[in-house]
Amino acid sequence: MRTAGGVIETKLRLMQKNAERIEEIHQALVREIIALKDHIKRLDLEWDGSSNSAFMTAMEADLTEMYLLVSLIWDAGKLLESAECTYQESEREVRGLIDTVKTRGICG
């Protein structure tokens, strides 16, 4: 598509690959967080005292941050998928309009 400002090029396949990669990263992080929580639970059962309490408090804060990060990664992937779908829908609409113009003989 040409515009007054130059050429706009959308790399749809790259968008799709990036959305897939974001989903893979999201799933891997979720698996690792679950494994970490399991290790923390086992450690909590084997360790007593104020050091344990301080560690568990710090880990809860860290887990909260991890969940936020994973949520933001999920959102980024969904936004990229949405942009991809919007682009495809817009492209179909433009093609339909061009076909309509061609059919009516206005151009070409």
Side-chain angles (χ1 to χ4, degrees):
M1 175 189 311
R2 288 206 164 267
T3 64
V7 176
I8 298 173
E9 182 180 336
T10 301
K11 299 186 179 190
L12 185 59
R13 184 65 198 135
L14 182 58
M15 289 171 66
Q16 291 168 336
K17 286 177 113 176
N18 286 340
E20 290 167 5
R21 182 67 182 130
I22 289 171
E23 176 61 23
E24 290 169 5
I25 291 168
H26 175 264
Q27 290 175 1
L29 286 171
V30 167
R31 284 190 304 272
E32 291 301 319
I33 290 170
I34 290 169
L36 178 61
K37 282 183 71 173
D38 289 343
H39 291 300
I40 292 168
K41 285 178 187 176
R42 283 194 301 263
L43 181 60
D44 190 31
L45 293 174
E46 297 174 7
W47 184 19
D48 291 322
S50 60
S51 295
N52 179 35
S53 296
F55 178 79
M56 291 302 154
T57 299
M59 286 307 305
E60 283 300 318
D62 289 346
L63 285 169
T64 298
E65 293 295 319
M66 289 179 214
Y67 289 132
L68 176 60
L69 174 62
V70 167
S71 173
L72 292 172
I73 290 171
W74 174 262
D75 291 347
K78 291 302 165 192
L79 286 172
L80 190 54
E81 287 175 6
S82 176
E84 173 191 335
C85 289
T86 299
Y87 172 78
Q88 289 176 333
E89 290 169 6
S90 297
E91 190 174 78
R92 280 191 292 275
E93 185 176 332
V94 168
R95 282 185 187 149
L97 292 171
I98 290 171
D99 289 345
T100 299
V101 168
K102 285 181 179 178
T103 302
R104 293 182 181 168
I106 298 171
C107 292

